[in-house]
Amino acid sequence: MSKNLKMKSSRAAKDMSQKDLADATGVTRQTINAIEKGDYNPSIKLCISICKVLGKTLDQLFWEDDEDA
Amino acid sequence: MHRTELDEMQVQKRNMVGNQAFMLLFYLLLIDIGLNGFGFRWLQYPMNVFVNMLGCRTYYLIRIIWNNSYVGPRTKTKNIGRQIGLVVGLASFVAGTAAYLEKDSLRIPLSTGDNGAMILFVFSIVLFIVLAIVSVITKWQAKNDE
């Protein structure tokens, strides 16, 4: 699985740390870190929660184009 | 999501480690039975079963702590000092009450012939070792935080 740079950049654009995002979504910082690194495939429920916090759509954060994959 | 529960990644990792620990225990007990059948007894029953279970439990604890799957995403940890004080106080109260109620029988030396004392001793030592390892892992993980 490739790194989720879109999520990382969206988080940085909101000036949030991994810990802030983790607290807002109710998971641990290690889980957010694993998602950004591509080590963990989150459930759709967690994806939606992350999207709501970052103000993005699922497509914007989690859709992988051919050149991204 | 409840704040004291594990999150989804933690649950997945804990389940994975739990399955591995269970299979490890199963095969260790199977090997133990096989060795016993060949006449090789490395420890007296029930110490052999206890050591196997303790080893698997230690493996399980260390692995879930290593994978950060022991404590959920809580905002603030409870006062651990108060909890330790409560446990020590309760243990002292129970021990004192038992000693008072059984003060006559305490003078009579007991010999049950089982390995209970040895099991308790080994369990205490292993518990302290696990606590030390947990402490080291926790500090190491905190150091690696972003």
Side-chain angles (χ1 to χ4, degrees):
Chain A
M1 204 188 309
S2 60
K3 287 186 179 181
N4 194 335
L5 296 176
K6 294 174 191 169
M7 181 175 148
K8 193 171 185 176
S9 59
S10 300
R11 177 176 62 77
K14 280 251 176 185
D15 199 22
M16 293 178 85
S17 64
Q18 288 183 346
K19 182 83 177 96
D20 296 334
L21 183 57
D23 289 342
T25 52
V27 297
T28 58
R29 186 198 61 77
Q30 285 82 1
T31 301
I32 298 294
N33 187 43
I35 295 169
E36 289 186 354
K37 281 167 51 180
D39 293 337
Y40 176 64
N41 199 7
S43 67
I44 191 69
K45 192 178 168 189
L46 180 55
C47 289
I48 292 171
S49 180
I50 291 169
C51 287
K52 282 181 179 171
V53 172
L54 295 179
K56 300 280 185 184
T57 65
L58 284 169
D59 274 0
Q60 287 172 320
L61 286 189
F62 294 104
W63 185 259
E64 284 187 353
D65 295 323
D66 287 341
E67 56 266 23
D68 293 337
Chain B
M1 180 183 290
H2 197 267
R3 301 295 292 174
T4 54
E5 290 175 354
L6 302 177
D7 70 25
E8 56 184 51
M9 187 178 82
Q10 290 179 308
V11 169
Q12 281 184 18
K13 288 193 171 178
R14 188 195 59 182
N15 290 346
M16 182 191 71
V17 173
N19 290 340
Q20 289 175 350
F22 178 76
M23 292 308 292
L24 183 67
L25 176 64
F26 173 78
Y27 283 113
L28 282 177
L29 290 176
L30 204 63
I31 291 169
D32 192 32
I33 292 170
L35 287 176
N36 202 20
F38 281 115
F40 178 73
R41 184 169 291 179
W42 61 288
L43 269 179
Q44 287 292 322
Y45 176 83
M47 199 64 179
N48 55 348
V49 178
F50 174 74
V51 169
N52 281 332
M53 290 171 64
L54 196 61
C56 290
R57 179 66 184 173
T58 306
Y59 168 80
Y60 174 75
L61 270 179
I62 290 175
R63 282 290 308 277
I64 62 170
I65 291 167
W66 186 267
N67 287 315
N68 189 42
S69 302
Y70 189 67
V71 181
R74 287 183 298 181
T75 51
K76 190 179 176 184
T77 54
K78 291 179 182 173
N79 188 354
I80 191 74
R82 183 189 290 179
Q83 291 178 349
I84 291 173
L86 273 174
V87 170
V88 170
L90 187 64
S92 305
F93 175 74
V94 171
T97 306
Y100 177 74
L101 294 175
E102 303 287 332
K103 58 186 175 185
D104 293 332
S105 62
L106 284 177
R107 297 193 186 98
I108 305 167
L110 292 174
S111 178
T112 56
D114 61 12
N115 291 324
M118 181 57 79
I119 288 173
L120 195 62
F121 178 72
V122 172
F123 181 77
S124 306
I125 297 295
V126 172
L127 192 67
F128 277 114
I129 293 170
V130 169
L131 282 175
I133 293 171
V134 167
S135 175
V136 169
I137 291 173
T138 308
K139 285 178 181 172
W140 181 79
Q141 284 181 336
K143 194 185 286 183
N144 283 352
D145 277 356
E146 65 170 352

